[in-house]
Amino acid sequence: MLRFCRTALAAAFLSLSCCGQGQAADAAAPPKTLHMLLTTAESSLDPAVASDLASLNLLENLFDPMLRYDYLARPLKLQENTLAAMPGVEDGGRSYLFRIRPGIFFTPDPAFKGVKREVTAQDYVYSLKRLYDPGLKSPWLFLFEGKIAGDAALKPGQFSYDSAIDGLRALDRYTLRIGLTAPDPNFLFYLAMPATGVVAREVIEAYPGQSGNHPVGSGPFMVGEWRHSDKIVLLANPGFRSTVFHAGPDVAPEDRALAAALEGRRLPLVERVDVRIVEEYQSRVLGFLKGQFDYLEQVPESLTDMVLAGGALRPELAAKGIALSRFPVLQTYYMWMNMDDPLLGGYGKDKLALRRAIALSYNGTEDVALLKKGLALPAQSPLPPNVLGYDAAYRGPTRYDPALARALLDRYGYRAQADGFRALPGGKPLTLVMHTEASAAGRLRDELWRRSLAAVGLRVVFKSDKKGEIIKASRLGQVQMFETNWIADFPDGENFFQLLYGPNSGRANYARFKLPAYDRLYEQARLLPDSPRRRALYHDMAQLIHAYAPWVLLTHPVSADLRQPWLKNYKRHPVEFTAWRYLDVAPRQH
């Protein structure tokens, strides 16, 4: 097991007060610590490369994009992070001017040769160019490719970090200008994502091919100890710039007390965050109930009976001060099918019939009631509620209809054999292969799919692996079918519809769906703000998804979240993954 530990730094920082209050710490007192869990192992701590949820949780606290979200503002609102002020917008939305705040420093690393290294505008130029590096195969390239003026000079075959790009220039040490080929209503959202966090070129070049194992950022925390896929300890960054919380004017009435509690306090509020990887559902819930974790988001549906009774928190847990909240996650669950797969991929009528039959076999009512325990909504389109572009009145044409599925398979030559299972047209055996996560919940999902598909005469076998490994194989086109989910990176419908955009194949488009008609609609829609015209385009895109069935749309979860009585300032954000910099802990009462 690979172990990363900045031992000397960790020992030094634990003796410092990094809780942001400017008070000397009692050397005998234990550091003020958050105890967190992640549900899957991290893959990489390189902002340009990582896209799994566990890694993004960590990156959000280690690296600095130029912008971030106001913690308490609703509706959602961006604010400056490393900028001195919000960017200036010029040329009708085609040009942005960013002024980096002086005095922001990367955490120490041998790559800096003992020099205190300040963050500059050129560092952001370099960090954004990394998304284009063909050697990295960044899953985030779709955010910028073809949008930044002159970025064709960064295409594979001629990529160079030293290429001058018209639309990406450091004008001086602290000033950055980004020019676009056309206005993009969501452009500033991209600059609040972990993928655009700033890195130092010296560090990346000092650890060739291994920068994901050597995270050096300028964020509120830094890595103290790291045992891959097991435990990671973050320490408050003692060199973190002065960051004082001030609530904006858009705080909801129910959050005003929270805003008052945070007002004027320097962030982060704790000295240490202990993070454990806990993949088994039962271990997460039991660990929380034993006080090992300060909060538990999205209680596993299969274990809700351990904490809920009649839809409310169990009285014995409420008596301990544990709090329950429900949160509509900006998330969509779907099962995708590989459009390049020789068995079920392709755009011919027989392949469309097979995928549509699979979609018609899915019993969404059973999924929501039995597997999700009612904590989900059936998905009609890729867009979850509260995302810009969501249409509450839209109803997709695909319904649970096994009789229609059987008729469709009969019509296109998928005949039932003596054992009741169907063969391909022409008589060759037909066996679907669905990848699945090796967990109790994964096994329950498998059983639902097995029953649903068997009811229409389709045989399926399951191939278990860790989700991170499945995603890696998916990007290479080596997975036939897989049920997964997407959580909004930014609160706009584009972030979901891009999952089926042809040029994103091999990246976020795991289905490898390449339909010119869909791509044309997407390219029109991404230039528009939320409007009736864009919603009409989204309607047509959703219809094409139903028609060609690269996905089976499943559910939008409603998260049941638990928090301990000693945890302070917790408020789940719709887009940002963590609130660790804002959280505080009170002494536990024993």
Side-chain angles (χ1 to χ4, degrees):
M1 182 176 294
L2 181 62
R3 180 184 177 95
F4 175 96
C5 185
R6 298 180 179 178
T7 309
L9 290 174
F13 294 152
L14 286 177
S15 68
L16 296 173
S17 173
C18 302
C19 60
Q21 303 309 302
Q23 300 173 351
D26 181 349
K32 188 179 287 189
T33 303
L34 291 174
H35 295 89
M36 302 285 104
L37 70 86
L38 296 175
T39 59
T40 60
E42 75 293 350
S43 65
S44 169
L45 295 186
D46 183 337
V49 174
S51 63
D52 59 286
L53 187 58
S55 298
L56 295 174
N57 275 260
L58 298 165
L59 290 171
E60 195 172 74
N61 293 281
L62 298 170
F63 293 90
D64 271 324
M66 287 188 280
L67 299 170
R68 65 178 300 104
Y69 290 88
D70 184 317
Y71 181 39
L72 298 180
R74 304 292 186 274
L76 298 181
K77 181 180 179 181
L78 291 172
Q79 63 182 22
E80 58 272 19
N81 185 37
T82 57
L83 301 180
M86 289 296 287
V89 186
E90 304 168 351
D91 192 22
R94 288 180 172 83
S95 181
Y96 292 83
L97 193 67
F98 304 88
R99 300 191 186 279
I100 309 301
R101 178 177 164 184
I104 298 173
F105 295 93
F106 290 105
T107 55
D109 189 86
F112 300 136
K113 303 185 185 305
V115 176
K116 191 176 181 182
R117 176 64 159 79
E118 189 178 28
V119 174
T120 68
Q122 186 58 42
D123 292 319
Y124 278 104
V125 171
Y126 172 76
S127 300
L128 291 174
K129 283 183 177 179
R130 291 189 75 232
L131 304 179
Y132 291 82
D133 188 334
L136 296 179
K137 295 182 173 60
S138 174
W140 305 107
L141 177 58
F142 76 93
L143 294 169
F144 298 96
E145 189 174 30
K147 299 179 183 180
I148 294 181
D151 70 357
L154 298 176
K155 65 183 180 181
Q158 61 186 60
F159 176 86
S160 170
Y161 283 106
D162 298 318
S163 296
I165 305 301
D166 290 342
L168 185 58
R169 292 185 179 274
L171 305 184
D172 57 40
R173 184 172 181 82
Y174 302 112
T175 308
L176 171 69
R177 183 184 298 279
I178 299 180
L180 305 181
T181 56
D184 184 340
N186 292 317
F187 184 69
L188 292 182
F189 286 138
Y190 311 156
L191 301 180
M193 294 169 58
T196 62
V198 67
V199 300
R201 185 168 184 170
E202 307 97 294
V203 174
I204 302 301
E205 293 179 349
Y207 308 103
Q210 292 295 318
S211 57
N213 292 323
H214 295 272
V216 178
S218 56
F221 295 97
M222 60 183 293
V223 173
E225 179 185 347
W226 185 5
R227 297 199 302 266
H228 281 275
S229 304
D230 178 30
K231 176 182 179 181
I232 186 165
V233 174
L234 304 185
L235 304 174
N237 176 5
F240 188 56
R241 61 193 174 276
S242 177
T243 302
V244 177
F245 182 89
H246 293 297
D250 303 313
V251 177
E254 63 269 22
D255 293 327
R256 287 174 184 162
L258 172 53
L262 282 168
E263 185 65 31
R265 300 190 69 188
R266 184 171 173 177
L267 307 176
L269 301 178
V270 298
E271 298 160 90
R272 176 182 171 119
V273 184
D274 283 2
V275 184
R276 301 304 300 255
I277 310 301
V278 186
E279 296 186 338
E280 188 57 44
Y281 284 15
Q282 189 172 51
S283 298
R284 297 177 207 166
V285 177
L286 291 176
F288 174 83
L289 295 178
K290 292 176 182 177
Q292 296 170 358
F293 307 116
D294 294 335
Y295 64 71
L296 177 63
E297 292 181 341
Q298 211 152 339
V299 173
E301 297 90 349
S302 59
L303 299 176
T304 52
D305 291 345
M306 294 178 66
V307 297
L308 302 179
L313 188 67
R314 285 190 170 277
E316 62 271 25
L317 300 182
K320 294 179 179 180
I322 292 172
L324 165 72
S325 57
R326 286 182 172 80
F327 183 78
V329 188
L330 303 186
Q331 184 176 17
T332 299
Y333 277 81
Y334 59 99
M335 192 277 285
W336 58 262
M337 292 172 273
N338 184 349
M339 297 292 286
D340 290 342
D341 183 81
L343 185 70
L344 54 64
Y347 300 82
K349 291 183 178 180
D350 58 332
K351 302 300 185 182
L352 266 66
L354 176 57
R355 292 195 302 274
R356 287 182 187 176
I358 291 170
L360 290 164
S361 78
Y362 164 69
N363 191 336
T365 301
E366 182 178 349
D367 188 357
V368 171
L370 300 182
L371 270 65
K372 295 293 195 298
K373 304 294 186 181
L375 294 171
L377 303 171
Q380 301 295 330
S381 86
L383 302 190
N386 302 316
V387 164
L388 291 173
Y390 172 75
D391 181 357
Y394 178 81
R395 292 293 179 270
T398 304
R399 297 283 188 274
Y400 172 56
D401 193 337
L404 179 58
R406 288 190 291 268
L408 195 59
L409 291 169
D410 288 340
R411 178 176 179 181
Y412 285 92
Y414 295 91
R415 304 298 182 192
Q417 305 300 292
D419 60 2
F421 289 106
R422 296 175 185 270
L424 288 165
K428 290 184 178 180
L430 168 57
T431 299
L432 302 171
V433 180
M434 183 181 289
H435 273 65
T436 180
E437 294 182 68
S439 65
R443 290 187 287 274
L444 290 173
R445 310 279 324 155
D446 297 349
E447 184 55 33
L448 174 61
W449 277 112
R450 192 192 310 277
R451 290 198 312 273
S452 297
L453 292 169
V456 299
L458 295 174
R459 179 187 284 110
V460 62
V461 297
F462 297 94
K463 185 175 181 180
S464 295
D465 206 342
K466 290 187 175 182
K467 186 171 184 178
E469 295 303 313
I470 298 172
I471 294 301
K472 289 178 185 177
S474 299
R475 289 180 181 149
L476 297 173
Q478 297 171 351
V479 175
Q480 186 182 91
M481 311 165 69
F482 180 53
E483 181 178 318
T484 188
N485 66 88
W486 187 266
I487 302 176
D489 300 305
F490 54 92
D492 190 272
E494 181 197 345
N495 190 230
F496 289 84
F497 280 112
Q498 62 88 18
L499 297 171
L500 286 163
Y501 181 49
N504 288 342
S505 297
R507 298 197 289 257
N509 182 354
Y510 301 130
R512 308 176 87 82
F513 184 56
K514 306 178 192 75
L515 186 71
Y518 182 94
D519 292 347
R520 285 193 295 270
L521 294 172
Y522 173 81
E523 288 163 0
Q524 294 174 51
R526 72 179 180 181
L527 299 177
L528 300 174
D530 185 34
S531 60
R533 171 58 182 155
R534 194 179 74 158
R535 287 193 289 274
L537 293 171
Y538 280 179
H539 175 279
D540 292 346
M541 292 161 71
Q543 290 288 298
L544 288 174
I545 294 170
H546 288 289
Y548 285 87
W551 282 11
V552 180
L553 287 157
L554 305 178
T555 60
H556 306 302
V558 177
S559 179
D561 301 338
L562 303 174
R563 64 185 182 274
Q564 301 286 7
W566 56 78
L567 183 66
K568 302 166 68 175
N569 309 329
Y570 175 83
K571 172 77 174 182
R572 190 162 177 184
H573 193 275
V575 177
E576 290 192 336
F577 301 105
T578 68
W580 297 348
R581 70 190 67 198
Y582 307 105
L583 300 183
D584 202 354
V585 287
R588 301 190 187 191
Q589 302 297 318
H590 296 287

